[in-house]
Amino acid sequence: MVTVGVIGGGQLARMMIPPAVNLGLDIRILAEQEGMSAALAATAVGDYRDLDTVLAFAETVDVITFDHEHVPAPILRELQARGIPVHPGPDALHFAQDKIAMREKLSEIGVPVPEWAAVTNADELSAFLADNGGAAVLKTPRGGYDGKGVRVVRSADEAADWFATLDEDGRGGALLVEELVDFRRELAQLVARRPSGQIVAWPVVETVQKDGVCSEVFAPAPRSAGRVAEMAEQIALTIAETLGVTGVLAVELFETTDDRILVNELAMRPHNSGHWTQDGCTTSQFEQHLRAVLDLPLGATGCHDDHTVMANILGGPTEGTLADRYAAALEAHPTVKVHNYGKEPRPGRKVGHVNVSGSDLDEVAYQARAAAAFFQD
Ligand code: ADP
């Protein structure tokens, strides 16, 4: 039996398990701790920053992939040196691990990005602010997620604490500063690419964030047919091919008020903006990721319905579990599909999501929001 090894035990690894079962694949997880979301599959527990731990795990599988971007490149290169396939590989993953490297690379290959600079002190930040209308977005290049490590600044003083800790581990020696993009909405484009080159795209989607965390996804993005969809797809295909990404690539985009499409972020793994594909598409992002990392033919990405809306369940109930709410929620919303990550409810935490499809966008959006509301207080 072919065995896929996933580093990281969160919900993304968990959601690879059903398609692995369907395809008759063995899937093993290297989780950060006991009892994580993906512990339904055979799970080893250990530190993904420790070479011996990762090597011991990798020796039990045929291919290594990830549910997060944080495994250090030297460890991945060592796996490759020992003949263990790693997808995406460290050369591509670098651009999802470091936002400054990503901005540099995308600028170099001509992909549209916000105005940006790497800054190491207050004077450089002040100069950027002066050139960009007095406001900017400052980001730590490494280790950020869900808006952590992102801050709007209007003066260099507001960055003093980050500059003071710049040399500490993980900060990368510089901060990324960007123009404060005047965007109409945020979009995401998912593609999947296999090592031998086949590449497929799903329709571009609109993502809505609340406090820096994705709350809803509309698929396909309303009013995107034609130019917007073509630009988004072309950008993601270019990035996947030029950077040699294998597996799923998610490209987070801004649609600006003056009708430009700019790249915000890259993720080289299944992504929250693709959860709708589980119930809305012929091939889900999780199945596609497995097929891609095994270099199997990729599946069709067509949609079952005109619209699918995904709503995240953020925080969950203040008492009890999601399952305690099933009887009422499923009774009220028979068209809704619930995905429960098996995580402890905690304020703001992503503990599950719902997907709903149909032909009337307002109705589908209403059903998704109302169903998600059953699971959060
Ligand atoms: P993370 O990697 O933590 O998710 P992102 O770089 O994706 O951080 O930024 C999180 C959110 O902050 C984005 O979804 C967007 O809403 C906002 N944001 C990020 N960069 C900019 C920018 N240059 N201009 C305006 N808003 C931004």
mmCIF file with all atom_site columns, all heavy atoms in Angstrom, residues 99 114 137 139 144-150 178-183 186 209 212 252 254 264-265, ligand 1:
data_model
loop_
_atom_site.group_PDB
_atom_site.id
_atom_site.type_symbol
_atom_site.label_atom_id
_atom_site.label_alt_id
_atom_site.label_comp_id
_atom_site.label_asym_id
_atom_site.label_entity_id
_atom_site.label_seq_id
_atom_site.pdbx_PDB_ins_code
_atom_site.Cartn_x
_atom_site.Cartn_y
_atom_site.Cartn_z
_atom_site.occupancy
_atom_site.B_iso_or_equiv
_atom_site.pdbx_formal_charge
_atom_site.auth_seq_id
_atom_site.auth_comp_id
_atom_site.auth_asym_id
_atom_site.auth_atom_id
_atom_site.pdbx_PDB_model_num
ATOM   1   N N   . LYS A 1 99  ? 7.902   35.876 3.732  1.00 0.00 ? 99  LYS A N   1
ATOM   2   C CA  . LYS A 1 99  ? 7.125   36.835 2.932  1.00 0.00 ? 99  LYS A CA  1
ATOM   3   C C   . LYS A 1 99  ? 8.022   37.793 2.146  1.00 0.00 ? 99  LYS A C   1
ATOM   4   O O   . LYS A 1 99  ? 7.610   38.286 1.099  1.00 0.00 ? 99  LYS A O   1
ATOM   5   C CB  . LYS A 1 99  ? 6.172   37.626 3.832  1.00 0.00 ? 99  LYS A CB  1
ATOM   6   C CG  . LYS A 1 99  ? 5.047   36.776 4.415  1.00 0.00 ? 99  LYS A CG  1
ATOM   7   C CD  . LYS A 1 99  ? 4.071   37.587 5.259  1.00 0.00 ? 99  LYS A CD  1
ATOM   8   C CE  . LYS A 1 99  ? 3.106   36.634 5.947  1.00 0.00 ? 99  LYS A CE  1
ATOM   9   N NZ  . LYS A 1 99  ? 1.912   37.247 6.482  1.00 0.00 ? 99  LYS A NZ  1
ATOM   10  N N   . PRO A 1 114 ? 1.590   44.312 -4.091 1.00 0.00 ? 114 PRO A N   1
ATOM   11  C CA  . PRO A 1 114 ? 1.569   45.684 -3.552 1.00 0.00 ? 114 PRO A CA  1
ATOM   12  C C   . PRO A 1 114 ? 2.981   46.261 -3.554 1.00 0.00 ? 114 PRO A C   1
ATOM   13  O O   . PRO A 1 114 ? 3.962   45.518 -3.554 1.00 0.00 ? 114 PRO A O   1
ATOM   14  C CB  . PRO A 1 114 ? 1.062   45.494 -2.114 1.00 0.00 ? 114 PRO A CB  1
ATOM   15  C CG  . PRO A 1 114 ? 0.397   44.149 -2.098 1.00 0.00 ? 114 PRO A CG  1
ATOM   16  C CD  . PRO A 1 114 ? 1.108   43.315 -3.119 1.00 0.00 ? 114 PRO A CD  1
ATOM   17  N N   . VAL A 1 137 ? 1.274   48.663 5.780  1.00 0.00 ? 137 VAL A N   1
ATOM   18  C CA  . VAL A 1 137 ? 1.058   47.406 6.504  1.00 0.00 ? 137 VAL A CA  1
ATOM   19  C C   . VAL A 1 137 ? 2.420   46.785 6.764  1.00 0.00 ? 137 VAL A C   1
ATOM   20  O O   . VAL A 1 137 ? 3.210   46.594 5.840  1.00 0.00 ? 137 VAL A O   1
ATOM   21  C CB  . VAL A 1 137 ? 0.176   46.439 5.676  1.00 0.00 ? 137 VAL A CB  1
ATOM   22  C CG1 . VAL A 1 137 ? 0.012   45.117 6.415  1.00 0.00 ? 137 VAL A CG1 1
ATOM   23  C CG2 . VAL A 1 137 ? -1.173  47.075 5.401  1.00 0.00 ? 137 VAL A CG2 1
ATOM   24  N N   . LYS A 1 139 ? 4.693   43.636 8.300  1.00 0.00 ? 139 LYS A N   1
ATOM   25  C CA  . LYS A 1 139 ? 4.520   42.194 8.524  1.00 0.00 ? 139 LYS A CA  1
ATOM   26  C C   . LYS A 1 139 ? 5.830   41.565 8.974  1.00 0.00 ? 139 LYS A C   1
ATOM   27  O O   . LYS A 1 139 ? 6.896   41.914 8.451  1.00 0.00 ? 139 LYS A O   1
ATOM   28  C CB  . LYS A 1 139 ? 4.090   41.505 7.226  1.00 0.00 ? 139 LYS A CB  1
ATOM   29  C CG  . LYS A 1 139 ? 2.771   42.015 6.667  1.00 0.00 ? 139 LYS A CG  1
ATOM   30  C CD  . LYS A 1 139 ? 2.356   41.266 5.409  1.00 0.00 ? 139 LYS A CD  1
ATOM   31  C CE  . LYS A 1 139 ? 1.010   41.778 4.906  1.00 0.00 ? 139 LYS A CE  1
ATOM   32  N NZ  . LYS A 1 139 ? 0.511   41.032 3.745  1.00 0.00 ? 139 LYS A NZ  1
ATOM   33  N N   . GLY A 1 144 ? 3.990   33.992 10.676 1.00 0.00 ? 144 GLY A N   1
ATOM   34  C CA  . GLY A 1 144 ? 2.670   34.578 10.906 1.00 0.00 ? 144 GLY A CA  1
ATOM   35  C C   . GLY A 1 144 ? 1.570   33.705 10.321 1.00 0.00 ? 144 GLY A C   1
ATOM   36  O O   . GLY A 1 144 ? 1.801   32.937 9.406  1.00 0.00 ? 144 GLY A O   1
ATOM   37  N N   . TYR A 1 145 ? 0.382   33.810 10.875 1.00 0.00 ? 145 TYR A N   1
ATOM   38  C CA  . TYR A 1 145 ? -0.786  33.164 10.274 1.00 0.00 ? 145 TYR A CA  1
ATOM   39  C C   . TYR A 1 145 ? -2.018  33.842 10.843 1.00 0.00 ? 145 TYR A C   1
ATOM   40  O O   . TYR A 1 145 ? -1.962  34.459 11.920 1.00 0.00 ? 145 TYR A O   1
ATOM   41  C CB  . TYR A 1 145 ? -0.830  31.649 10.569 1.00 0.00 ? 145 TYR A CB  1
ATOM   42  C CG  . TYR A 1 145 ? -0.989  31.341 12.043 1.00 0.00 ? 145 TYR A CG  1
ATOM   43  C CD1 . TYR A 1 145 ? -2.237  31.082 12.601 1.00 0.00 ? 145 TYR A CD1 1
ATOM   44  C CD2 . TYR A 1 145 ? 0.110   31.363 12.893 1.00 0.00 ? 145 TYR A CD2 1
ATOM   45  C CE1 . TYR A 1 145 ? -2.378  30.840 13.953 1.00 0.00 ? 145 TYR A CE1 1
ATOM   46  C CE2 . TYR A 1 145 ? -0.021  31.127 14.244 1.00 0.00 ? 145 TYR A CE2 1
ATOM   47  C CZ  . TYR A 1 145 ? -1.266  30.852 14.761 1.00 0.00 ? 145 TYR A CZ  1
ATOM   48  O OH  . TYR A 1 145 ? -1.403  30.632 16.103 1.00 0.00 ? 145 TYR A OH  1
ATOM   49  N N   . ASP A 1 146 ? -3.133  33.754 10.120 1.00 0.00 ? 146 ASP A N   1
ATOM   50  C CA  . ASP A 1 146 ? -4.395  34.333 10.583 1.00 0.00 ? 146 ASP A CA  1
ATOM   51  C C   . ASP A 1 146 ? -4.229  35.768 11.093 1.00 0.00 ? 146 ASP A C   1
ATOM   52  O O   . ASP A 1 146 ? -4.815  36.156 12.107 1.00 0.00 ? 146 ASP A O   1
ATOM   53  C CB  . ASP A 1 146 ? -5.026  33.470 11.687 1.00 0.00 ? 146 ASP A CB  1
ATOM   54  C CG  . ASP A 1 146 ? -5.623  32.184 11.122 1.00 0.00 ? 146 ASP A CG  1
ATOM   55  O OD1 . ASP A 1 146 ? -5.739  32.087 9.880  1.00 0.00 ? 146 ASP A OD1 1
ATOM   56  O OD2 . ASP A 1 146 ? -5.988  31.295 11.909 1.00 0.00 ? 146 ASP A OD2 1
ATOM   57  N N   . GLY A 1 147 ? -3.411  36.563 10.411 1.00 0.00 ? 147 GLY A N   1
ATOM   58  C CA  . GLY A 1 147 ? -3.283  37.976 10.759 1.00 0.00 ? 147 GLY A CA  1
ATOM   59  C C   . GLY A 1 147 ? -2.337  38.259 11.909 1.00 0.00 ? 147 GLY A C   1
ATOM   60  O O   . GLY A 1 147 ? -2.070  39.430 12.223 1.00 0.00 ? 147 GLY A O   1
ATOM   61  N N   . LYS A 1 148 ? -1.806  37.196 12.565 1.00 0.00 ? 148 LYS A N   1
ATOM   62  C CA  . LYS A 1 148 ? -0.800  37.433 13.608 1.00 0.00 ? 148 LYS A CA  1
ATOM   63  C C   . LYS A 1 148 ? 0.486   37.806 12.869 1.00 0.00 ? 148 LYS A C   1
ATOM   64  O O   . LYS A 1 148 ? 0.854   37.160 11.899 1.00 0.00 ? 148 LYS A O   1
ATOM   65  C CB  . LYS A 1 148 ? -0.593  36.174 14.457 1.00 0.00 ? 148 LYS A CB  1
ATOM   66  C CG  . LYS A 1 148 ? -1.835  35.796 15.238 1.00 0.00 ? 148 LYS A CG  1
ATOM   67  C CD  . LYS A 1 148 ? -1.664  34.486 15.977 1.00 0.00 ? 148 LYS A CD  1
ATOM   68  C CE  . LYS A 1 148 ? -2.932  34.105 16.711 1.00 0.00 ? 148 LYS A CE  1
ATOM   69  N NZ  . LYS A 1 148 ? -4.070  33.840 15.811 1.00 0.00 ? 148 LYS A NZ  1
ATOM   70  N N   . GLY A 1 149 ? 1.150   38.844 13.321 1.00 0.00 ? 149 GLY A N   1
ATOM   71  C CA  . GLY A 1 149 ? 2.338   39.286 12.577 1.00 0.00 ? 149 GLY A CA  1
ATOM   72  C C   . GLY A 1 149 ? 1.990   40.244 11.448 1.00 0.00 ? 149 GLY A C   1
ATOM   73  O O   . GLY A 1 149 ? 2.785   40.418 10.529 1.00 0.00 ? 149 GLY A O   1
ATOM   74  N N   . VAL A 1 150 ? 0.806   40.852 11.495 1.00 0.00 ? 150 VAL A N   1
ATOM   75  C CA  . VAL A 1 150 ? 0.401   41.864 10.502 1.00 0.00 ? 150 VAL A CA  1
ATOM   76  C C   . VAL A 1 150 ? -0.144  43.062 11.270 1.00 0.00 ? 150 VAL A C   1
ATOM   77  O O   . VAL A 1 150 ? -0.971  42.895 12.164 1.00 0.00 ? 150 VAL A O   1
ATOM   78  C CB  . VAL A 1 150 ? -0.705  41.323 9.554  1.00 0.00 ? 150 VAL A CB  1
ATOM   79  C CG1 . VAL A 1 150 ? -1.206  42.427 8.626  1.00 0.00 ? 150 VAL A CG1 1
ATOM   80  C CG2 . VAL A 1 150 ? -0.185  40.150 8.737  1.00 0.00 ? 150 VAL A CG2 1
ATOM   81  N N   . GLU A 1 178 ? 4.446   47.169 3.395  1.00 0.00 ? 178 GLU A N   1
ATOM   82  C CA  . GLU A 1 178 ? 3.714   47.219 2.124  1.00 0.00 ? 178 GLU A CA  1
ATOM   83  C C   . GLU A 1 178 ? 2.766   48.402 2.107  1.00 0.00 ? 178 GLU A C   1
ATOM   84  O O   . GLU A 1 178 ? 2.293   48.842 3.170  1.00 0.00 ? 178 GLU A O   1
ATOM   85  C CB  . GLU A 1 178 ? 2.819   45.982 1.976  1.00 0.00 ? 178 GLU A CB  1
ATOM   86  C CG  . GLU A 1 178 ? 3.550   44.697 1.981  1.00 0.00 ? 178 GLU A CG  1
ATOM   87  C CD  . GLU A 1 178 ? 2.608   43.517 1.820  1.00 0.00 ? 178 GLU A CD  1
ATOM   88  O OE1 . GLU A 1 178 ? 1.372   43.676 1.981  1.00 0.00 ? 178 GLU A OE1 1
ATOM   89  O OE2 . GLU A 1 178 ? 3.129   42.438 1.551  1.00 0.00 ? 178 GLU A OE2 1
ATOM   90  N N   . GLU A 1 179 ? 2.442   48.856 0.918  1.00 0.00 ? 179 GLU A N   1
ATOM   91  C CA  . GLU A 1 179 ? 1.381   49.867 0.803  1.00 0.00 ? 179 GLU A CA  1
ATOM   92  C C   . GLU A 1 179 ? 0.094   49.298 1.424  1.00 0.00 ? 179 GLU A C   1
ATOM   93  O O   . GLU A 1 179 ? -0.148  48.083 1.382  1.00 0.00 ? 179 GLU A O   1
ATOM   94  C CB  . GLU A 1 179 ? 1.122   50.206 -0.673 1.00 0.00 ? 179 GLU A CB  1
ATOM   95  C CG  . GLU A 1 179 ? 0.480   49.063 -1.436 1.00 0.00 ? 179 GLU A CG  1
ATOM   96  C CD  . GLU A 1 179 ? 0.042   49.414 -2.862 1.00 0.00 ? 179 GLU A CD  1
ATOM   97  O OE1 . GLU A 1 179 ? -0.895  50.214 -3.017 1.00 0.00 ? 179 GLU A OE1 1
ATOM   98  O OE2 . GLU A 1 179 ? 0.631   48.854 -3.793 1.00 0.00 ? 179 GLU A OE2 1
ATOM   99  N N   . LEU A 1 180 ? -0.697  50.164 2.036  1.00 0.00 ? 180 LEU A N   1
ATOM   100 C CA  . LEU A 1 180 ? -2.014  49.778 2.551  1.00 0.00 ? 180 LEU A CA  1
ATOM   101 C C   . LEU A 1 180 ? -2.949  49.725 1.334  1.00 0.00 ? 180 LEU A C   1
ATOM   102 O O   . LEU A 1 180 ? -3.358  50.754 0.809  1.00 0.00 ? 180 LEU A O   1
ATOM   103 C CB  . LEU A 1 180 ? -2.480  50.822 3.564  1.00 0.00 ? 180 LEU A CB  1
ATOM   104 C CG  . LEU A 1 180 ? -3.836  50.614 4.218  1.00 0.00 ? 180 LEU A CG  1
ATOM   105 C CD1 . LEU A 1 180 ? -3.892  49.306 4.996  1.00 0.00 ? 180 LEU A CD1 1
ATOM   106 C CD2 . LEU A 1 180 ? -4.157  51.780 5.158  1.00 0.00 ? 180 LEU A CD2 1
ATOM   107 N N   . VAL A 1 181 ? -3.218  48.513 0.883  1.00 0.00 ? 181 VAL A N   1
ATOM   108 C CA  . VAL A 1 181 ? -3.948  48.352 -0.376 1.00 0.00 ? 181 VAL A CA  1
ATOM   109 C C   . VAL A 1 181 ? -5.425  48.723 -0.179 1.00 0.00 ? 181 VAL A C   1
ATOM   110 O O   . VAL A 1 181 ? -6.069  48.273 0.771  1.00 0.00 ? 181 VAL A O   1
ATOM   111 C CB  . VAL A 1 181 ? -3.837  46.893 -0.889 1.00 0.00 ? 181 VAL A CB  1
ATOM   112 C CG1 . VAL A 1 181 ? -4.688  46.692 -2.130 1.00 0.00 ? 181 VAL A CG1 1
ATOM   113 C CG2 . VAL A 1 181 ? -2.390  46.535 -1.162 1.00 0.00 ? 181 VAL A CG2 1
ATOM   114 N N   . ASP A 1 182 ? -5.916  49.549 -1.079 1.00 0.00 ? 182 ASP A N   1
ATOM   115 C CA  . ASP A 1 182 ? -7.324  49.944 -1.055 1.00 0.00 ? 182 ASP A CA  1
ATOM   116 C C   . ASP A 1 182 ? -8.078  48.876 -1.859 1.00 0.00 ? 182 ASP A C   1
ATOM   117 O O   . ASP A 1 182 ? -8.205  48.988 -3.072 1.00 0.00 ? 182 ASP A O   1
ATOM   118 C CB  . ASP A 1 182 ? -7.436  51.319 -1.714 1.00 0.00 ? 182 ASP A CB  1
ATOM   119 C CG  . ASP A 1 182 ? -8.826  51.898 -1.583 1.00 0.00 ? 182 ASP A CG  1
ATOM   120 O OD1 . ASP A 1 182 ? -9.619  51.351 -0.790 1.00 0.00 ? 182 ASP A OD1 1
ATOM   121 O OD2 . ASP A 1 182 ? -9.115  52.896 -2.274 1.00 0.00 ? 182 ASP A OD2 1
ATOM   122 N N   . PHE A 1 183 ? -8.498  47.825 -1.154 1.00 0.00 ? 183 PHE A N   1
ATOM   123 C CA  . PHE A 1 183 ? -9.107  46.728 -1.915 1.00 0.00 ? 183 PHE A CA  1
ATOM   124 C C   . PHE A 1 183 ? -10.623 46.697 -1.795 1.00 0.00 ? 183 PHE A C   1
ATOM   125 O O   . PHE A 1 183 ? -11.186 47.098 -0.780 1.00 0.00 ? 183 PHE A O   1
ATOM   126 C CB  . PHE A 1 183 ? -8.492  45.374 -1.563 1.00 0.00 ? 183 PHE A CB  1
ATOM   127 C CG  . PHE A 1 183 ? -8.616  44.939 -0.119 1.00 0.00 ? 183 PHE A CG  1
ATOM   128 C CD1 . PHE A 1 183 ? -9.774  44.360 0.357  1.00 0.00 ? 183 PHE A CD1 1
ATOM   129 C CD2 . PHE A 1 183 ? -7.534  45.087 0.751  1.00 0.00 ? 183 PHE A CD2 1
ATOM   130 C CE1 . PHE A 1 183 ? -9.875  43.935 1.669  1.00 0.00 ? 183 PHE A CE1 1
ATOM   131 C CE2 . PHE A 1 183 ? -7.629  44.676 2.074  1.00 0.00 ? 183 PHE A CE2 1
ATOM   132 C CZ  . PHE A 1 183 ? -8.811  44.102 2.531  1.00 0.00 ? 183 PHE A CZ  1
ATOM   133 N N   . GLU A 1 186 ? -11.290 40.557 -1.144 1.00 0.00 ? 186 GLU A N   1
ATOM   134 C CA  . GLU A 1 186 ? -10.193 39.611 -1.217 1.00 0.00 ? 186 GLU A CA  1
ATOM   135 C C   . GLU A 1 186 ? -10.660 38.362 -1.967 1.00 0.00 ? 186 GLU A C   1
ATOM   136 O O   . GLU A 1 186 ? -11.794 37.907 -1.798 1.00 0.00 ? 186 GLU A O   1
ATOM   137 C CB  . GLU A 1 186 ? -9.700  39.260 0.184  1.00 0.00 ? 186 GLU A CB  1
ATOM   138 C CG  . GLU A 1 186 ? -9.036  40.473 0.850  1.00 0.00 ? 186 GLU A CG  1
ATOM   139 C CD  . GLU A 1 186 ? -8.396  40.159 2.180  1.00 0.00 ? 186 GLU A CD  1
ATOM   140 O OE1 . GLU A 1 186 ? -7.354  39.494 2.212  1.00 0.00 ? 186 GLU A OE1 1
ATOM   141 O OE2 . GLU A 1 186 ? -8.943  40.591 3.212  1.00 0.00 ? 186 GLU A OE2 1
ATOM   142 N N   . GLN A 1 209 ? -12.695 38.057 5.616  1.00 0.00 ? 209 GLN A N   1
ATOM   143 C CA  . GLN A 1 209 ? -11.981 37.849 6.886  1.00 0.00 ? 209 GLN A CA  1
ATOM   144 C C   . GLN A 1 209 ? -12.627 38.709 7.983  1.00 0.00 ? 209 GLN A C   1
ATOM   145 O O   . GLN A 1 209 ? -13.064 39.816 7.735  1.00 0.00 ? 209 GLN A O   1
ATOM   146 C CB  . GLN A 1 209 ? -10.490 38.195 6.840  1.00 0.00 ? 209 GLN A CB  1
ATOM   147 C CG  . GLN A 1 209 ? -9.849  38.355 5.484  1.00 0.00 ? 209 GLN A CG  1
ATOM   148 C CD  . GLN A 1 209 ? -9.817  37.087 4.681  1.00 0.00 ? 209 GLN A CD  1
ATOM   149 O OE1 . GLN A 1 209 ? -9.584  36.013 5.230  1.00 0.00 ? 209 GLN A OE1 1
ATOM   150 N NE2 . GLN A 1 209 ? -10.071 37.178 3.399  1.00 0.00 ? 209 GLN A NE2 1
ATOM   151 N N   . GLY A 1 212 ? -8.874  39.388 10.885 1.00 0.00 ? 212 GLY A N   1
ATOM   152 C CA  . GLY A 1 212 ? -7.705  38.714 10.314 1.00 0.00 ? 212 GLY A CA  1
ATOM   153 C C   . GLY A 1 212 ? -7.900  37.218 10.069 1.00 0.00 ? 212 GLY A C   1
ATOM   154 O O   . GLY A 1 212 ? -6.994  36.548 9.589  1.00 0.00 ? 212 GLY A O   1
ATOM   155 N N   . GLU A 1 252 ? -3.597  34.036 -2.296 1.00 0.00 ? 252 GLU A N   1
ATOM   156 C CA  . GLU A 1 252 ? -4.529  35.034 -1.756 1.00 0.00 ? 252 GLU A CA  1
ATOM   157 C C   . GLU A 1 252 ? -4.322  36.330 -2.520 1.00 0.00 ? 252 GLU A C   1
ATOM   158 O O   . GLU A 1 252 ? -3.179  36.779 -2.699 1.00 0.00 ? 252 GLU A O   1
ATOM   159 C CB  . GLU A 1 252 ? -4.270  35.260 -0.266 1.00 0.00 ? 252 GLU A CB  1
ATOM   160 C CG  . GLU A 1 252 ? -4.489  34.030 0.582  1.00 0.00 ? 252 GLU A CG  1
ATOM   161 C CD  . GLU A 1 252 ? -4.141  34.272 2.052  1.00 0.00 ? 252 GLU A CD  1
ATOM   162 O OE1 . GLU A 1 252 ? -4.034  35.436 2.470  1.00 0.00 ? 252 GLU A OE1 1
ATOM   163 O OE2 . GLU A 1 252 ? -3.969  33.286 2.774  1.00 0.00 ? 252 GLU A OE2 1
ATOM   164 N N   . PHE A 1 254 ? -5.784  40.461 -3.702 1.00 0.00 ? 254 PHE A N   1
ATOM   165 C CA  . PHE A 1 254 ? -6.614  41.649 -3.503 1.00 0.00 ? 254 PHE A CA  1
ATOM   166 C C   . PHE A 1 254 ? -7.184  42.065 -4.845 1.00 0.00 ? 254 PHE A C   1
ATOM   167 O O   . PHE A 1 254 ? -6.440  42.130 -5.833 1.00 0.00 ? 254 PHE A O   1
ATOM   168 C CB  . PHE A 1 254 ? -5.778  42.825 -2.984 1.00 0.00 ? 254 PHE A CB  1
ATOM   169 C CG  . PHE A 1 254 ? -5.152  42.614 -1.636 1.00 0.00 ? 254 PHE A CG  1
ATOM   170 C CD1 . PHE A 1 254 ? -3.779  42.745 -1.471 1.00 0.00 ? 254 PHE A CD1 1
ATOM   171 C CD2 . PHE A 1 254 ? -5.933  42.306 -0.530 1.00 0.00 ? 254 PHE A CD2 1
ATOM   172 C CE1 . PHE A 1 254 ? -3.195  42.569 -0.227 1.00 0.00 ? 254 PHE A CE1 1
ATOM   173 C CE2 . PHE A 1 254 ? -5.358  42.122 0.723  1.00 0.00 ? 254 PHE A CE2 1
ATOM   174 C CZ  . PHE A 1 254 ? -3.986  42.256 0.873  1.00 0.00 ? 254 PHE A CZ  1
ATOM   175 N N   . ASN A 1 264 ? -1.434  38.810 -2.405 1.00 0.00 ? 264 ASN A N   1
ATOM   176 C CA  . ASN A 1 264 ? -1.100  39.053 -1.008 1.00 0.00 ? 264 ASN A CA  1
ATOM   177 C C   . ASN A 1 264 ? -0.192  37.948 -0.477 1.00 0.00 ? 264 ASN A C   1
ATOM   178 O O   . ASN A 1 264 ? 0.940   38.195 -0.112 1.00 0.00 ? 264 ASN A O   1
ATOM   179 C CB  . ASN A 1 264 ? -2.373  39.165 -0.164 1.00 0.00 ? 264 ASN A CB  1
ATOM   180 C CG  . ASN A 1 264 ? -2.062  39.310 1.323  1.00 0.00 ? 264 ASN A CG  1
ATOM   181 O OD1 . ASN A 1 264 ? -1.031  39.882 1.680  1.00 0.00 ? 264 ASN A OD1 1
ATOM   182 N ND2 . ASN A 1 264 ? -2.914  38.769 2.171  1.00 0.00 ? 264 ASN A ND2 1
ATOM   183 N N   . GLU A 1 265 ? -0.686  36.708 -0.486 1.00 0.00 ? 265 GLU A N   1
ATOM   184 C CA  . GLU A 1 265 ? 0.002   35.615 0.211  1.00 0.00 ? 265 GLU A CA  1
ATOM   185 C C   . GLU A 1 265 ? -0.017  34.337 -0.600 1.00 0.00 ? 265 GLU A C   1
ATOM   186 O O   . GLU A 1 265 ? -0.926  34.144 -1.429 1.00 0.00 ? 265 GLU A O   1
ATOM   187 C CB  . GLU A 1 265 ? -0.780  35.324 1.510  1.00 0.00 ? 265 GLU A CB  1
ATOM   188 C CG  . GLU A 1 265 ? -0.150  35.855 2.752  1.00 0.00 ? 265 GLU A CG  1
ATOM   189 C CD  . GLU A 1 265 ? 0.981   35.009 3.231  1.00 0.00 ? 265 GLU A CD  1
ATOM   190 O OE1 . GLU A 1 265 ? 2.050   35.034 2.594  1.00 0.00 ? 265 GLU A OE1 1
ATOM   191 O OE2 . GLU A 1 265 ? 0.828   34.320 4.250  1.00 0.00 ? 265 GLU A OE2 1
HETATM 192 P P1  . ADP B 2 .   ? -1.364  36.026 7.467  1.00 0.00 ? 1   ADP B P1  1
HETATM 193 O O1  . ADP B 2 .   ? -0.229  35.376 6.760  1.00 0.00 ? 1   ADP B O1  1
HETATM 194 O O2  . ADP B 2 .   ? -1.176  36.170 8.934  1.00 0.00 ? 1   ADP B O2  1
HETATM 195 O O3  . ADP B 2 .   ? -2.719  35.487 7.083  1.00 0.00 ? 1   ADP B O3  1
HETATM 196 P P2  . ADP B 2 .   ? -1.698  38.184 5.562  1.00 0.00 ? 1   ADP B P2  1
HETATM 197 O O4  . ADP B 2 .   ? -0.483  38.760 4.957  1.00 0.00 ? 1   ADP B O4  1
HETATM 198 O O5  . ADP B 2 .   ? -2.505  37.238 4.742  1.00 0.00 ? 1   ADP B O5  1
HETATM 199 O O6  . ADP B 2 .   ? -1.330  37.534 6.973  1.00 0.00 ? 1   ADP B O6  1
HETATM 200 O O7  . ADP B 2 .   ? -2.640  39.388 6.022  1.00 0.00 ? 1   ADP B O7  1
HETATM 201 C C1  . ADP B 2 .   ? -3.819  39.166 6.796  1.00 0.00 ? 1   ADP B C1  1
HETATM 202 C C2  . ADP B 2 .   ? -4.905  40.142 6.362  1.00 0.00 ? 1   ADP B C2  1
HETATM 203 O O8  . ADP B 2 .   ? -4.462  41.496 6.524  1.00 0.00 ? 1   ADP B O8  1
HETATM 204 C C3  . ADP B 2 .   ? -5.255  40.032 4.882  1.00 0.00 ? 1   ADP B C3  1
HETATM 205 O O9  . ADP B 2 .   ? -6.183  39.018 4.657  1.00 0.00 ? 1   ADP B O9  1
HETATM 206 C C4  . ADP B 2 .   ? -5.810  41.417 4.594  1.00 0.00 ? 1   ADP B C4  1
HETATM 207 O O10 . ADP B 2 .   ? -7.155  41.514 5.038  1.00 0.00 ? 1   ADP B O10 1
HETATM 208 C C5  . ADP B 2 .   ? -4.941  42.318 5.457  1.00 0.00 ? 1   ADP B C5  1
HETATM 209 N N1  . ADP B 2 .   ? -3.785  42.819 4.677  1.00 0.00 ? 1   ADP B N1  1
HETATM 210 C C6  . ADP B 2 .   ? -2.604  42.179 4.492  1.00 0.00 ? 1   ADP B C6  1
HETATM 211 N N2  . ADP B 2 .   ? -1.778  42.895 3.708  1.00 0.00 ? 1   ADP B N2  1
HETATM 212 C C7  . ADP B 2 .   ? -2.425  44.034 3.394  1.00 0.00 ? 1   ADP B C7  1
HETATM 213 C C8  . ADP B 2 .   ? -2.102  45.191 2.604  1.00 0.00 ? 1   ADP B C8  1
HETATM 214 N N3  . ADP B 2 .   ? -0.900  45.342 2.027  1.00 0.00 ? 1   ADP B N3  1
HETATM 215 N N4  . ADP B 2 .   ? -3.049  46.162 2.480  1.00 0.00 ? 1   ADP B N4  1
HETATM 216 C C9  . ADP B 2 .   ? -4.247  46.034 3.091  1.00 0.00 ? 1   ADP B C9  1
HETATM 217 N N5  . ADP B 2 .   ? -4.614  44.984 3.835  1.00 0.00 ? 1   ADP B N5  1
HETATM 218 C C10 . ADP B 2 .   ? -3.733  43.987 4.003  1.00 0.00 ? 1   ADP B C10 1
#
